[in-house]
Amino acid sequence: MKIILASGSPRRFELLRSLGITFEVCKPDVDEHVLKNESPSELCTRLSRLKAESGAEKFPDSLVIAADTIVVIDELILGKPKDRTDAFNMLKRLQGKWHEVITGLSICMNKNILSHDEHTRVKFRELSDSEIRAYVSTGECDDKAGAYAVQGYGSLLVERIEGDYFNVVGLPLCCLGKMLRSAGINLLLGN
């Protein structure tokens, strides 16, 4: 069965590739606005389902994997920054505090969709404005939920992680493995 990753994220691409899976990429086109009274978990799950459905429409006989990741602090959803000023402000808000990274993960096979939302707590160390500006100038914050990448220079910002590290990168691999296993695909057994 063909596997489709419904995501344009290079991080998700690399994580899935690290499992030795052969797959194709199909970047979904979905409206990512927040619905009224929608919780962060509901948002991520809904968007991952929409992305999975979008991929399944184009590749109906395939297994489609889709995800959506956000950062939440003080009940405020931090998506991708609009620009470098927005990135600075997000990082300023995160510095010295705990926040939550939530990824909605969905797989679609034979028109059946399984979804799960994975939660990981992350604590940033105290940062000076000059450190935040220096990080923003690396460009690593661009196109990243919460304006950071934990696997790059962003690792210098993170003091502690409680939960799945790969969730913070953007694709909770253990959760994905469990979901695939429930769909009859066991990556460890090669089937």
Side-chain angles (χ1 to χ4, degrees), residues 98 120-123 150 158-165 168:
W98 283 97
T120 303
R121 286 178 24 99
V122 179
K123 183 170 192 275
V150 70
V158 174
E159 189 172 287
R160 181 170 297 193
I161 295 176
E162 292 179 357
D164 185 341
Y165 166 82
V168 183

PDB file of all heavy atoms in Angstrom, residues 98 120-123 150 158-165 168:
ATOM      1  N   TRP A  98       6.817  27.432  31.293  1.00  0.00           N
ATOM      2  CA  TRP A  98       6.327  26.189  30.720  1.00  0.00           C
ATOM      3  C   TRP A  98       5.273  26.508  29.667  1.00  0.00           C
ATOM      4  O   TRP A  98       4.507  27.457  29.816  1.00  0.00           O
ATOM      5  CB  TRP A  98       5.667  25.318  31.790  1.00  0.00           C
ATOM      6  CG  TRP A  98       6.613  24.608  32.682  1.00  0.00           C
ATOM      7  CD1 TRP A  98       7.026  25.003  33.925  1.00  0.00           C
ATOM      8  CD2 TRP A  98       7.271  23.364  32.426  1.00  0.00           C
ATOM      9  NE1 TRP A  98       7.899  24.087  34.446  1.00  0.00           N
ATOM     10  CE2 TRP A  98       8.069  23.063  33.552  1.00  0.00           C
ATOM     11  CE3 TRP A  98       7.272  22.478  31.349  1.00  0.00           C
ATOM     12  CZ2 TRP A  98       8.846  21.916  33.629  1.00  0.00           C
ATOM     13  CZ3 TRP A  98       8.041  21.332  31.425  1.00  0.00           C
ATOM     14  CH2 TRP A  98       8.819  21.057  32.553  1.00  0.00           C
ATOM     15  N   THR A 120       2.797  17.576  24.956  1.00  0.00           N
ATOM     16  CA  THR A 120       4.118  17.571  25.573  1.00  0.00           C
ATOM     17  C   THR A 120       4.340  18.927  26.229  1.00  0.00           C
ATOM     18  O   THR A 120       4.049  19.960  25.630  1.00  0.00           O
ATOM     19  CB  THR A 120       5.220  17.318  24.518  1.00  0.00           C
ATOM     20  OG1 THR A 120       4.952  16.082  23.858  1.00  0.00           O
ATOM     21  CG2 THR A 120       6.598  17.271  25.153  1.00  0.00           C
ATOM     22  N   ARG A 121       4.849  18.900  27.467  1.00  0.00           N
ATOM     23  CA  ARG A 121       5.165  20.149  28.170  1.00  0.00           C
ATOM     24  C   ARG A 121       6.629  20.498  27.937  1.00  0.00           C
ATOM     25  O   ARG A 121       7.496  19.625  28.000  1.00  0.00           O
ATOM     26  CB  ARG A 121       4.884  20.012  29.662  1.00  0.00           C
ATOM     27  CG  ARG A 121       3.405  20.030  29.976  1.00  0.00           C
ATOM     28  CD  ARG A 121       3.046  19.841  31.440  1.00  0.00           C
ATOM     29  NE  ARG A 121       4.028  20.193  32.424  1.00  0.00           N
ATOM     30  CZ  ARG A 121       4.066  21.346  33.116  1.00  0.00           C
ATOM     31  NH1 ARG A 121       3.170  22.272  32.914  1.00  0.00           N
ATOM     32  NH2 ARG A 121       4.994  21.563  34.028  1.00  0.00           N
ATOM     33  N   VAL A 122       6.878  21.784  27.680  1.00  0.00           N
ATOM     34  CA  VAL A 122       8.232  22.274  27.406  1.00  0.00           C
ATOM     35  C   VAL A 122       8.475  23.511  28.265  1.00  0.00           C
ATOM     36  O   VAL A 122       7.612  24.389  28.359  1.00  0.00           O
ATOM     37  CB  VAL A 122       8.406  22.637  25.916  1.00  0.00           C
ATOM     38  CG1 VAL A 122       9.808  23.163  25.638  1.00  0.00           C
ATOM     39  CG2 VAL A 122       8.089  21.435  25.027  1.00  0.00           C
ATOM     40  N   LYS A 123       9.665  23.573  28.866  1.00  0.00           N
ATOM     41  CA  LYS A 123      10.036  24.764  29.646  1.00  0.00           C
ATOM     42  C   LYS A 123      11.240  25.432  28.990  1.00  0.00           C
ATOM     43  O   LYS A 123      12.264  24.801  28.750  1.00  0.00           O
ATOM     44  CB  LYS A 123      10.384  24.416  31.087  1.00  0.00           C
ATOM     45  CG  LYS A 123      10.684  25.675  31.908  1.00  0.00           C
ATOM     46  CD  LYS A 123      10.790  25.379  33.377  1.00  0.00           C
ATOM     47  CE  LYS A 123      10.788  26.651  34.194  1.00  0.00           C
ATOM     48  NZ  LYS A 123      12.081  27.270  34.327  1.00  0.00           N
ATOM     49  N   VAL A 150      12.969  22.768  18.169  1.00  0.00           N
ATOM     50  CA  VAL A 150      13.689  22.163  19.291  1.00  0.00           C
ATOM     51  C   VAL A 150      14.934  21.407  18.841  1.00  0.00           C
ATOM     52  O   VAL A 150      15.879  21.245  19.601  1.00  0.00           O
ATOM     53  CB  VAL A 150      12.752  21.255  20.123  1.00  0.00           C
ATOM     54  CG1 VAL A 150      12.384  19.992  19.345  1.00  0.00           C
ATOM     55  CG2 VAL A 150      13.363  20.921  21.460  1.00  0.00           C
ATOM     56  N   VAL A 158      15.598  25.469  25.312  1.00  0.00           N
ATOM     57  CA  VAL A 158      14.756  24.535  26.062  1.00  0.00           C
ATOM     58  C   VAL A 158      15.495  23.994  27.278  1.00  0.00           C
ATOM     59  O   VAL A 158      16.558  23.395  27.163  1.00  0.00           O
ATOM     60  CB  VAL A 158      14.296  23.379  25.151  1.00  0.00           C
ATOM     61  CG1 VAL A 158      13.537  22.327  25.948  1.00  0.00           C
ATOM     62  CG2 VAL A 158      13.436  23.912  24.016  1.00  0.00           C
ATOM     63  N   GLU A 159      14.892  24.207  28.434  1.00  0.00           N
ATOM     64  CA  GLU A 159      15.467  23.732  29.693  1.00  0.00           C
ATOM     65  C   GLU A 159      14.983  22.332  30.048  1.00  0.00           C
ATOM     66  O   GLU A 159      15.718  21.531  30.594  1.00  0.00           O
ATOM     67  CB  GLU A 159      15.078  24.713  30.796  1.00  0.00           C
ATOM     68  CG  GLU A 159      15.753  24.493  32.111  1.00  0.00           C
ATOM     69  CD  GLU A 159      15.443  25.642  33.061  1.00  0.00           C
ATOM     70  OE1 GLU A 159      15.982  26.747  32.860  1.00  0.00           O
ATOM     71  OE2 GLU A 159      14.632  25.416  33.989  1.00  0.00           O
ATOM     72  N   ARG A 160      13.717  22.030  29.730  1.00  0.00           N
ATOM     73  CA  ARG A 160      13.150  20.743  30.125  1.00  0.00           C
ATOM     74  C   ARG A 160      11.996  20.366  29.203  1.00  0.00           C
ATOM     75  O   ARG A 160      11.259  21.238  28.743  1.00  0.00           O
ATOM     76  CB  ARG A 160      12.647  20.830  31.558  1.00  0.00           C
ATOM     77  CG  ARG A 160      12.063  19.528  32.073  1.00  0.00           C
ATOM     78  CD  ARG A 160      11.823  19.611  33.528  1.00  0.00           C
ATOM     79  NE  ARG A 160      13.153  19.793  34.138  1.00  0.00           N
ATOM     80  CZ  ARG A 160      13.390  19.666  35.416  1.00  0.00           C
ATOM     81  NH1 ARG A 160      12.419  19.373  36.240  1.00  0.00           N
ATOM     82  NH2 ARG A 160      14.593  19.849  35.909  1.00  0.00           N
ATOM     83  N   ILE A 161      11.848  19.050  28.987  1.00  0.00           N
ATOM     84  CA  ILE A 161      10.723  18.511  28.212  1.00  0.00           C
ATOM     85  C   ILE A 161      10.089  17.392  29.014  1.00  0.00           C
ATOM     86  O   ILE A 161      10.787  16.517  29.519  1.00  0.00           O
ATOM     87  CB  ILE A 161      11.182  17.969  26.839  1.00  0.00           C
ATOM     88  CG1 ILE A 161      11.714  19.091  25.958  1.00  0.00           C
ATOM     89  CG2 ILE A 161      10.029  17.238  26.132  1.00  0.00           C
ATOM     90  CD1 ILE A 161      12.284  18.630  24.634  1.00  0.00           C
ATOM     91  N   GLU A 162       8.775  17.433  29.127  1.00  0.00           N
ATOM     92  CA  GLU A 162       8.019  16.353  29.750  1.00  0.00           C
ATOM     93  C   GLU A 162       7.080  15.781  28.711  1.00  0.00           C
ATOM     94  O   GLU A 162       6.089  16.401  28.343  1.00  0.00           O
ATOM     95  CB  GLU A 162       7.214  16.865  30.951  1.00  0.00           C
ATOM     96  CG  GLU A 162       8.072  17.297  32.109  1.00  0.00           C
ATOM     97  CD  GLU A 162       7.261  17.817  33.294  1.00  0.00           C
ATOM     98  OE1 GLU A 162       6.014  17.893  33.192  1.00  0.00           O
ATOM     99  OE2 GLU A 162       7.884  18.169  34.307  1.00  0.00           O
ATOM    100  N   GLY A 163       7.434  14.605  28.208  1.00  0.00           N
ATOM    101  CA  GLY A 163       6.622  13.966  27.181  1.00  0.00           C
ATOM    102  C   GLY A 163       7.461  13.607  25.977  1.00  0.00           C
ATOM    103  O   GLY A 163       8.687  13.482  26.061  1.00  0.00           O
ATOM    104  N   ASP A 164       6.804  13.452  24.846  1.00  0.00           N
ATOM    105  CA  ASP A 164       7.420  12.974  23.613  1.00  0.00           C
ATOM    106  C   ASP A 164       8.211  14.087  22.913  1.00  0.00           C
ATOM    107  O   ASP A 164       7.635  15.046  22.423  1.00  0.00           O
ATOM    108  CB  ASP A 164       6.319  12.440  22.694  1.00  0.00           C
ATOM    109  CG  ASP A 164       6.833  11.794  21.423  1.00  0.00           C
ATOM    110  OD1 ASP A 164       7.985  12.029  21.033  1.00  0.00           O
ATOM    111  OD2 ASP A 164       6.051  11.052  20.806  1.00  0.00           O
ATOM    112  N   TYR A 165       9.523  13.916  22.863  1.00  0.00           N
ATOM    113  CA  TYR A 165      10.385  14.879  22.175  1.00  0.00           C
ATOM    114  C   TYR A 165       9.967  15.049  20.714  1.00  0.00           C
ATOM    115  O   TYR A 165       9.926  16.158  20.185  1.00  0.00           O
ATOM    116  CB  TYR A 165      11.842  14.420  22.252  1.00  0.00           C
ATOM    117  CG  TYR A 165      12.765  15.138  21.298  1.00  0.00           C
ATOM    118  CD1 TYR A 165      13.283  16.383  21.622  1.00  0.00           C
ATOM    119  CD2 TYR A 165      13.103  14.580  20.065  1.00  0.00           C
ATOM    120  CE1 TYR A 165      14.117  17.062  20.744  1.00  0.00           C
ATOM    121  CE2 TYR A 165      13.936  15.250  19.188  1.00  0.00           C
ATOM    122  CZ  TYR A 165      14.438  16.483  19.524  1.00  0.00           C
ATOM    123  OH  TYR A 165      15.254  17.151  18.651  1.00  0.00           O
ATOM    124  N   VAL A 168       7.360  17.511  19.891  1.00  0.00           N
ATOM    125  CA  VAL A 168       7.806  18.904  19.840  1.00  0.00           C
ATOM    126  C   VAL A 168       8.404  19.204  18.458  1.00  0.00           C
ATOM    127  O   VAL A 168       8.261  20.312  17.938  1.00  0.00           O
ATOM    128  CB  VAL A 168       8.804  19.212  20.974  1.00  0.00           C
ATOM    129  CG1 VAL A 168       9.214  20.686  20.968  1.00  0.00           C
ATOM    130  CG2 VAL A 168       8.211  18.843  22.329  1.00  0.00           C
TER     131      VAL A 168
END
